Amino acid sequence: MKERTWLHTPAACAGLALALGLTACGGGGSSSGASAVQMGAVSVQVTDGPSDEFQHVWVTFTAISFHTDPNATWSAADATWKTTRFLNPVTIDLTTLNNGTLNTLLAGMNLPVGTYRQIRFLLDGPDAALDASALATKDSTGAALQWNDQVEYLANASTTVLESPLEIAYPTQGIQLVGTFNVSQGSTLTLAVDFDLEHSIVAFNHDSLTYFTMRPSLFYYDMSQVAAITGTVDPTKLCQTIAAAVSQTTACAFNLIAKAELLMPDGSRHFVARETSVDPITGAFTLYPLATKDAAGNAIASYDVLIRGREMETMLVQAVPVTAGTGPARTGSPAPTSLQSGPIGLTINSGEYTAQLATALGPLTSGHAIFQQTLSGGVPYEVRWRNTDPFTGMFRNPIPLQGATSSLHIAPYNGGNALAFTLATPVEGAGAFTVADNLTAYYTLSSGAVMPPPTSGTVQTFTPGLPTLDSGVQPGMIDVTLDFSGINIDNNCELVLARFAAIIDTYNCSAFLSSNGGPNTVKFTLSGVPAGDASAAVPGAYYYAYVRLWETGHGGLTRRIVPLPGFIDLRSTSSATLNGSVPGA
């Protein structure tokens, strides 16, 4: 239910295409005379939210394409797509686009006047030849990037910096953004697009290494109808270095995230409309941009701001008002809503435990779980979110949560004056959460069940709920036939089913490899894949597939990705076939 739209500002295309290294300044031609095509322009800015699972996320963009049909399938040969390709691909660290920071990815792309319904962001995958922009980009150690799409993270409970590829599923199909984008003659449509890292980046196990992929969930803002909220927490209670967070010699809070939450349209729970990290040095944060109208055009008068972190008790400030047109000082806009004129105190609490699924998520393995807490007489707030490893259906790493000795700290907004917090025990119980889970596409969030903290020890497990297919969506089946002739070294195999750069499902095909004594040609079935039928089509139910291969113990060096040609079309049928041949190295 997040509405992100656009801002109209005067701009000209001349010179911008050359400056940004574009192959063209627009997706359509124009001619002189009465039949000339009326043209407008589009600029695209990128922003993002935080995560506490990694330090940096670099992605390399190669092109942006627009279409008037929200259900059009992407093809570079399809002239109905209006595409601008970068002569020099652009590498961006998405983690720097926090606290309201925007990065202009594209300025002044000419488009024929009209209403566009779909945008594709096209990427250079991690296994493509290293682009100059990635080579020129340095990681935190000063070394050049190793992959076009890369994640930097810390080893568990250490300050050791590790690097992994960001393995975007079928990157040549791009990341999809659906909406209503009106291009008017003589004006520029400026889009602010949110990549929402905490919800989008997915850790998974690869040969005992941690690799990453994406389940993109893009949103866009109407920058003419946005607002901002700022706040500061007491920086003396924060771990101001990674070393301090790891050692905990002196108790301190770290990995703080501020979330602006709204009620779902059906009133069933709160969802995160915008989130940002809290600066570990200053304690400051800025939630921007925030929509001031919902998808139906109704005014959004206020947000509830939840602040959570490691080794601290969760805080919630309710009914924080927003005013359209406010923004950070650097934007030149009127001042945003301030939670409190001075730093907000926080309560340190090291009584944490970790949670892990007791059984794999199903019927598909790619999804997520939401950890929620509820106030008396209210509906749940999202406190934590964790994606599952799409190859196991479990969390790659257990998720840390506040335990049985913790309370919620609740305060009503007080006009920017000192907040008066009161302590509350969530309806679920101290340290307990309502856990709901879902799959990546066309499934509905499970109803949720209460998970108490562990009665002994610091580890808790929970059984995931059963997400149900959206109304009108059928459980589809894909009959797969693969030929593995000629594979003599690789002894690990995974089939991946993908949609719009997100993994939908996976299948371990290692036993079928000849190196493991397999039969070379194999048949199996994927079930539960979202599909349509002849009476009710599901326009987005088409999928792409690839095979991952590697040799045990050498996964970083021997990993291969073999795309399978074409796509699997379940838009108007609940069954399809996939046939492919996977060559040896």
Side-chain angles (χ1 to χ4, degrees), residues 32-401:
S32 60
S35 62
V37 176
Q38 293 182 335
M39 302 296 288
V42 176
S43 294
V44 178
Q45 297 175 317
V46 180
T47 188
D48 221 318
S51 175
D52 55 9
E53 290 190 77
F54 40 79
Q55 276 54 57
H56 298 279
V57 176
W58 292 276
V59 294
T60 299
F61 296 92
T62 61
I64 299 177
S65 195
F66 291 74
H67 205 286
T68 56
D69 180 357
N71 301 315
T73 58
W74 161 254
S75 171
D78 184 351
T80 62
W81 284 92
K82 307 301 180 184
T83 304
T84 290
R85 293 192 175 276
F86 301 112
L87 286 175
N88 300 305
V90 178
T91 301
I92 294 176
D93 181 359
L94 295 176
T95 63
T96 64
L97 307 181
N98 212 335
N99 280 289
T101 301
L102 300 171
N103 185 307
T104 299
L105 177 65
L106 172 70
M109 171 183 175
N110 272 359
L111 282 176
V113 167
T115 299
Y116 294 83
R117 303 288 186 181
Q118 182 183 172
I119 302 174
R120 292 288 180 102
F121 294 85
L122 302 172
L123 306 165
D124 231 353
D127 295 324
L130 196 64
D131 290 312
S133 61
L135 189 61
T137 300
K138 307 301 181 185
D139 64 22
S140 66
T141 68
L145 298 190
Q146 302 174 56
W147 302 276
N148 292 313
D149 309 310
Q150 180 169 317
V151 176
E152 180 177 296
Y153 66 103
L154 298 177
N156 285 336
S158 84
T159 59
T160 303
V161 175
L162 300 174
E163 313 283 348
S164 287
L166 176 59
E167 190 178 293
I168 299 172
Y170 234 103
T172 54
Q173 286 297 312
I175 300 174
Q176 183 194 52
L177 175 62
V178 172
T180 301
F181 316 113
N182 292 317
V183 176
S184 302
Q185 184 177 16
S187 66
T188 296
L189 166 64
T190 300
L191 300 172
V193 179
D194 179 10
F195 273 72
D196 194 12
L197 280 182
E198 182 178 36
H199 295 148
S200 294
I201 302 299
V202 182
F204 68 92
N205 174 52
H206 171 72
D207 197 32
S208 299
L209 304 171
T210 295
Y211 273 28
F212 296 85
T213 185
M214 293 186 82
R215 54 174 305 276
S217 181
L218 303 192
F219 306 100
Y220 64 101
Y221 289 94
D222 179 350
M223 295 298 288
S224 67
Q225 296 290 333
V226 297
I229 295 172
T230 61
T232 302
V233 300
D234 183 357
T236 66
K237 298 290 186 70
L238 304 181
C239 306
Q240 300 194 345
T241 65
I242 293 172
V246 170
S247 69
Q248 287 285 303
T249 302
T250 301
C252 54
F254 60 101
N255 288 350
L256 274 69
I257 292 178
K259 302 169 179 268
E261 302 203 17
L262 291 171
L263 271 176
M264 290 289 290
D266 63 4
S268 61
R269 62 183 178 90
H270 292 86
F271 73 95
V272 176
R274 182 72 178 147
E275 58 189 328
T276 193
S277 61
V278 175
D279 188 297
I281 305 299
T282 66
F285 62 88
T286 299
L287 289 159
Y288 174 84
L290 292 169
T292 57
K293 290 185 178 180
D294 65 17
N298 302 310
I300 298 174
S302 65
Y303 289 82
D304 291 351
V305 177
L306 185 144
I307 304 170
R308 62 91 172 161
R310 297 290 309 278
E311 308 289 350
M312 63 166 281
E313 298 190 356
T314 299
M315 299 183 289
L316 179 68
V317 183
Q318 295 180 301
V320 182
V322 290
T323 303
T326 57
R330 63 180 176 272
T331 66
S333 304
T337 301
S338 174
L339 290 184
Q340 181 175 291
S341 58
I344 301 168
L346 55 84
T347 300
I348 300 296
N349 189 327
S350 59
E352 292 187 341
Y353 68 97
T354 61
Q356 175 63 280
L357 287 87
T359 57
L361 186 65
L364 309 178
T365 53
S366 181
H368 64 272
I370 304 175
F371 295 81
Q372 306 165 102
Q373 291 185 317
T374 311
L375 300 180
S376 178
V379 297
Y381 288 89
E382 178 187 317
V383 180
R384 295 298 306 263
W385 168 297
R386 181 59 59 94
N387 290 309
T388 60
D389 178 334
F391 299 98
T392 66
M394 310 285 283
F395 298 149
R396 171 61 177 136
N397 299 302
I399 186 168
L401 300 167

